[in-house]
Amino acid sequence: IENRDGSTIRREDLEGQLLQELNEQLFSVGELNQGSLLERYQQKIAYIRAVISEVLQVLHEHRNLCEDFISFKSMKVEEVAFCLDLEVASDANASDIQAQVYYLIDQLLSPAIPRYGLDELLVKGMRPEDIFDGPPLQNGFILTEDIQNSRQTRVVHGSDVINLIMDIEGVVAVRNVKMANFTPNTDGSYSMGNEAEWCLHLTTSTNNVPRLSIDRTRIVFYKEGIPQVVNPEVAEQTFRVLKATQNNVRKGPLKLDI
């Protein structure tokens, strides 16, 4: 982009300057109305900055000798939406089923790295010095091979989605499956990418991570052919509980010799 004085500036640099100036203006505002949109935005930015600061601190505390971190880049979320028609049993709880559908598809798009308890790793035959090698975690232990074997999802198959849903208790049949991905733009908006029924190809960018878009997903339940109304807020709340408990380490009886 050419300036008035004849000099040029890259579009990315200009956007970065504008965003920085916008943030400075937003955070220079005086007293705000409680619960206002601007206040919520400031709280969100403050939370993000606190998380980044904590990440930097942890990295520098456990970096190798003569090693330093120069720059950091945030990942962009690629939203994936689904349209599903499900036949469920007459006595099934549709809200619970919807929450389980959210959870299973979320794990399909972005599988969580498993965490283990001390007893589980000892049963696997690992030595204590190997288990405790590395920075301490707040919750359990993570194996290096699980991190190395983790892969980003690039293709979503409709057959995989159907198989996951059919394993849910109370689901009788999956009538219809449609999928679509939405890629992020530089201005924060999203553009629709591909749409498919059986094989959805996501973007190949390594800077994008796929995530289930609950707001864009639509699930219609049928009981004996009659459409059912489901409260999406209840289903989403149950999904959040399921997702929060996935990182809890299973604790079993641990007997160690003194």
Side-chain angles (χ1 to χ4, degrees):
I1 300 176
E2 186 174 350
N3 296 322
R4 292 181 180 179
D5 58 2
S7 61
T8 59
I9 184 173
R10 294 192 311 164
R11 180 185 181 92
E12 294 81 2
D13 295 336
L14 178 60
E15 290 175 349
Q17 292 179 13
L18 292 175
L19 288 175
Q20 182 178 357
E21 293 178 5
L22 177 60
N23 277 328
E24 291 176 353
Q25 291 294 327
L26 288 172
F27 279 90
S28 65
V29 177
E31 187 174 348
L32 300 175
N33 294 328
Q34 186 175 4
S36 65
L37 179 61
L38 184 55
E39 183 190 39
R40 294 199 299 271
Y41 173 78
Q42 289 187 353
Q43 292 174 348
K44 184 176 181 180
I45 296 299
Y47 174 76
I48 293 173
R49 288 178 174 176
V51 171
I52 294 176
S53 177
E54 185 177 354
V55 169
L56 293 177
Q57 180 179 353
V58 172
L59 283 174
H60 284 290
E61 287 177 351
H62 300 91
R63 64 185 176 88
N64 295 324
L65 187 64
C66 300
E67 182 181 74
D68 199 0
F69 298 95
I70 299 176
S71 62
F72 300 84
K73 289 185 178 180
S74 61
M75 304 291 286
K76 295 181 179 179
V77 175
E78 178 179 354
E79 296 188 351
V80 184
F82 295 81
C83 288
L84 305 169
D85 292 342
L86 307 181
E87 181 75 30
V88 297
S90 57
D91 59 345
N93 187 320
S95 294
D96 288 345
I97 292 178
Q98 183 163 334
Q100 293 180 63
V101 170
Y102 286 161
Y103 178 76
L104 293 175
I105 293 180
D106 179 76
Q107 291 298 297
L108 176 66
L109 296 176
S110 183
I113 296 177
R115 295 173 183 264
Y116 303 92
L118 178 60
D119 59 326
E120 293 178 288
L121 297 183
L122 290 174
V123 170
K124 287 177 177 288
M126 292 188 63
R127 299 179 303 174
E129 54 267 33
D130 294 330
I131 296 175
F132 289 96
D133 183 24
L137 304 180
Q138 295 180 353
N139 187 6
F141 302 90
I142 294 177
L143 298 182
T144 302
E145 52 264 33
D146 288 336
I147 299 177
Q148 295 173 341
N149 294 332
S150 62
R151 296 290 183 271
Q152 279 189 274
T153 301
R154 297 301 181 195
V155 180
V156 182
H157 296 282
S159 57
D160 294 335
V161 176
I162 293 174
N163 289 334
L164 288 174
I165 295 176
M166 288 302 299
D167 287 338
I168 300 176
E169 184 178 356
V171 175
V172 177
V174 179
R175 291 185 176 184
N176 181 47
V177 176
K178 288 186 178 180
M179 307 172 287
N181 66 317
F182 297 82
T183 55
N185 301 317
T186 56
D187 60 356
S189 62
Y190 280 81
S191 298
M192 185 173 176
N194 300 322
E195 184 177 1
E197 293 184 6
W198 292 107
C199 187
L200 177 66
H201 291 272
L202 305 180
T203 59
T204 57
S205 173
T206 57
N207 197 38
N208 285 5
V209 290
R211 292 290 186 272
L212 171 65
S213 175
I214 293 180
D215 293 336
R216 303 179 192 271
T217 295
R218 298 292 180 267
I219 303 178
V220 179
F221 292 92
Y222 294 88
K223 290 185 177 181
E224 298 180 352
I226 302 176
Q228 303 295 309
V229 178
V230 177
N231 188 338
E233 295 181 358
V234 175
E236 183 175 354
Q237 184 178 5
T238 305
F239 162 69
R240 301 298 178 192
V241 173
L242 292 173
K243 192 172 177 65
T245 57
Q246 76 180 10
N247 288 330
N248 290 344
V249 177
R250 181 183 61 81
K251 296 181 180 180
L254 179 60
K255 298 181 180 179
L256 300 177
D257 294 334
I258 300 177

